[in-house]
Amino acid sequence: MIYNTAMADIAQFDYYIGIDIGGTRTRVGRFSKDCKLEEKEVIETIRYKKSPEFLLEEIAKKILGLKKPNSEFAIGISAPGPCDTKLGIVKNPPNLPGWGEVRVSEFFKNKFDTYVSLENDANAAAFAEYKIGSGKGYKNMVYFTLSTGIGGGIIINGKIYRGFMDSAGEFGHQIVLPNGPKCRCGSKGCLEAVSSGYAISRDAISKALVRKSGILYEIYKKNGTINASDVFLASSQGDDISWKILNKAITYMGIGISNVITVLSPECVVLGGGLTNQDYIIEEIRNFAATHVKMAPINKIKIVKSSLGDDSSLYGSVLNTVDSF
């Protein structure tokens, strides 16, 4: 039996299940009726990256472990874009190569016979920060996720702005370096292609293999790869190549974020994702925007770190579900 979503009533649900499908990790959480996170499970997405069906089955197992007996729950999902939120389809996400079009909402409706909603992960994170995080109190704000990839969400007058065909907020795919490195979306010179964790890792591996010496090369020989966190560590130890890689990435972050501020003039910009664990990055971005943004009131626009951290999209998946009624 398929759950009749048209008859759904928020009052009938005793709790919520949130699912945040990420390029590196997938989080599954049980939330109370008032949207407090009670319990969470984490899955390494990379183990299932080219097999969406296996990942969805693993998520379903986690939900079974989180379920409460004799009670009703709704499911909220956040996933990398592009997404068709009305039909519940994840559509060829660059950060999940090999996925194609996956009907995630239909899968969980069939499994659990309940109400399911889908939202782009960056939109979900933006909505969570607006409702309960660093963007609370600002009706017009934007959210950037600076992580393996780069994404964004836009809140206008307290609502997610999705744009035509749910395609708004793809901040990581604005062109900041024409004819620059090829992006996983197929274009060249996207912000994500020059500033993301993926780009930092790619550049570090390239430099290490050319030089065949130094801290980065030793990391590569030991691990067979170099992560963005390795580059930050090497830079802190005085490695000049690592510093140059990071300086370039942060400069382009500043350009991309300043562009969005100039176009939208939000009250607040919230920065989340793993790269913001380095506090100096946020300060560098503030300084860049203060210098280069001329046509928006930059001295009154707040640029702040996410207060929800890695769980922003997970919270957003549930808050968006509640808001959809």
Side-chain angles (χ1 to χ4, degrees), residues 205 209 216-227:
I205 292 170
L209 292 178
L216 293 180
Y217 185 63
E218 292 303 317
I219 293 170
Y220 184 80
K221 281 201 304 181
K222 180 181 178 181
N223 301 327
T225 190
I226 303 172
N227 297 320

Side-chain angles (χ1 to χ4, degrees), residues 192-252:
E192 182 170 303
V194 294
S195 287
S196 65
Y198 165 80
I200 291 168
S201 172
R202 178 203 63 215
D203 289 353
I205 292 170
S206 175
K207 296 290 186 185
L209 292 178
V210 168
R211 294 190 75 193
K212 296 191 181 301
S213 64
I215 297 175
L216 293 180
Y217 185 63
E218 292 303 317
I219 293 170
Y220 184 80
K221 281 201 304 181
K222 180 181 178 181
N223 301 327
T225 190
I226 303 172
N227 297 320
S229 57
D230 297 323
V231 184
F232 282 107
L233 179 60
S235 178
S236 71
Q237 294 173 349
D239 183 64
D240 185 57
I241 296 298
S242 297
W243 182 86
K244 288 178 180 177
I245 291 170
L246 294 175
N247 187 58
K248 183 184 81 168
I250 294 167
T251 297
Y252 283 113

Side-chain angles (χ1 to χ4, degrees), residues 106-127:
E106 183 178 286
F107 175 88
F108 290 107
K109 283 176 186 174
N110 289 338
K111 277 281 183 184
F112 297 103
D113 188 25
T114 190
Y115 180 85
V116 180
S117 71
L118 171 69
E119 185 55 81
N120 172 290
D121 55 359
N123 284 347
F127 193 63

Side-chain angles (χ1 to χ4, degrees), residues 10-33:
I10 192 171
Q12 75 192 75
F13 299 119
D14 302 298
Y15 64 99
Y16 303 97
I17 295 292
I19 302 167
D20 172 32
I21 301 172
T24 304
R25 294 179 183 84
T26 292
R27 297 170 175 85
V28 186
R30 187 182 69 234
F31 288 76
S32 64
K33 199 174 181 70

Side-chain angles (χ1 to χ4, degrees), residues 169-191:
E170 291 290 348
F171 299 153
H173 299 288
Q174 58 178 299
I175 305 301
V176 294
L177 182 61
N179 298 315
K182 188 171 183 179
C183 183
R184 290 176 291 182
C185 74
S187 189
K188 289 184 177 181
C190 294
L191 179 61

